[in-house]
Amino acid sequence: MDLSLVDLSPIPDGGTGTDAFANTVEAAQQAERLGYDRFWVAEHHGMGETLAGTTPEVLLGHLAAETESIRLGSGAVLLNHYSPFKVAEVFGTLDALAPGRIDAGLGRANGPAAADRALETSRHVENPDENHAEKIEAVISHLYDEFPDEHDYSDLKIPRSGTEPPVPWVLGSSPSSAAIAGKLGVRYCFAGFIRPQFATRAFEEYREQFQPSPLGGGIDEPQGIVAVNAVCADTDEQAARLRAVAEASYKRMRRGEVGTTPSVDEAIAELGGVPEPTPERLGDGEWPRAISGSPETLETLLTQLADRVGVDEVMIQQVADSHENALRSHELLAEGLGITR
């Protein structure tokens, strides 16, 4: 199984965006040393006091200079905020900076209403799935120079490395995004930490709708990643304590406190106790929003979840109380799944 990471650049307690980005760089460099397949960074708006990851296109350029071989990508660039041409120019430039190792993760999401207004993004789009699919196809056509000669954009060129162009991925958390990826014939990544209840159905929809693609970066057979919130520690009990942070954060989010991260002790107090360790095997249809365990337990769990949706790669997302605990978790996961170089 391939293993990858997505990083949200959380701002540490008492820290700044500078501290958050320094942590992201360290996490990417560690992932490269350990043998992770790819390292993606996210886009969130209006939460600048807690999450610094607002502009993956900028951060990826810096990560390109600070790493040598690991694939880098967006998880995701939110296409509803931007024009396809501008997004393609961004990823063409990134490819020129890190030849042959850029993933163009394309998604959509709304943030706080004020942030959407500030971004001049309409929340009301006629035929949103059709609009999103057209934007994704346009980004790919720009990246791979595939507009027909008679098209208005056929003379528009973007910078590239001259090696492998950026690889397009559709990212989402619903069967509708999976259907878009399938119909376009491109790779699909499902955010299992957002709507885990739709994971199996989404990949079924992806395969049912899949058509081999003539698009640049398209594929002949379905290829996917499932992204999972998982934290690893030396024992199942220690990992369950760390998972309390994710559980309490989700509880806060449900009552409108978005983006805040408690300490382990605060999380346990909010939950009324330490969560039970995640069992070594999940029941049929059971897919928790967050899982935890020792390296051995998580090897079993991640394999089970990947097999359930038929993919060969898992991407880890974490809500950790500290940068040190996140790095240690990444290290233990790499050892447990045997990817350590």
Side-chain angles (χ1 to χ4, degrees), residues 54-69:
T54 61
T55 49
E57 64 274 23
V58 176
L59 184 52
L60 288 170
H62 184 56
L63 292 175
E66 297 291 336
T67 58
E68 295 179 357
S69 59

Side-chain angles (χ1 to χ4, degrees), residues 123-300:
R123 285 174 171 249
H124 305 288
V125 177
E126 190 173 349
N127 300 318
D129 286 354
E130 182 179 335
N131 177 266
H132 189 48
E134 289 174 352
K135 281 193 160 190
I136 293 170
E137 187 169 2
V139 171
I140 296 171
S141 296
H142 282 300
L143 282 174
Y144 285 79
D145 199 18
E146 291 185 333
F147 285 106
D149 291 342
E150 65 274 13
H151 197 282
D152 288 345
Y153 299 157
S154 62
D155 291 334
L156 294 176
K157 306 301 178 183
I158 61 173
R160 284 192 289 263
S161 68
T163 56
E164 177 193 6
V167 175
W169 288 80
V170 173
L171 278 61
S173 59
S174 69
S176 62
S177 63
I180 290 171
K183 290 174 183 177
L184 290 175
V186 297
R187 297 161 179 82
Y188 179 61
C189 179
F190 179 83
F193 53 88
I194 297 178
R195 294 190 182 99
Q197 69 272 25
F198 292 136
T200 301
R201 181 179 159 200
F203 277 102
E204 289 173 349
E205 185 73 9
Y206 175 53
R207 292 185 175 87
E208 183 177 323
Q209 299 292 337
F210 186 85
Q211 302 174 34
S213 177
L215 294 172
I219 48 179
D220 294 329
E221 296 180 355
Q223 181 180 335
I225 297 174
V226 62
V228 177
N229 183 289
V231 63
C232 193
D234 291 305
T235 69
D236 290 348
E237 290 73 22
Q238 291 171 348
R241 286 182 59 84
L242 297 179
R243 195 183 85 241
V245 176
E247 302 282 3
S249 295
Y250 295 137
K251 189 174 180 180
R252 289 181 176 189
M253 185 172 61
R254 287 194 295 270
R255 63 176 186 255
E257 297 178 34
V258 180
T260 63
T261 304
S263 68
V264 172
D265 289 340
E266 289 171 339
I268 291 171
E270 288 187 28
L271 297 173
V274 179
E276 289 294 319
T278 309
E280 188 172 326
R281 290 197 66 82
L282 298 170
D284 291 344
E286 184 182 4
W287 196 308
R289 189 185 289 272
I291 61 174
S292 61
S294 66
E296 296 77 17
T297 295
L298 280 181
E299 179 186 20
T300 301

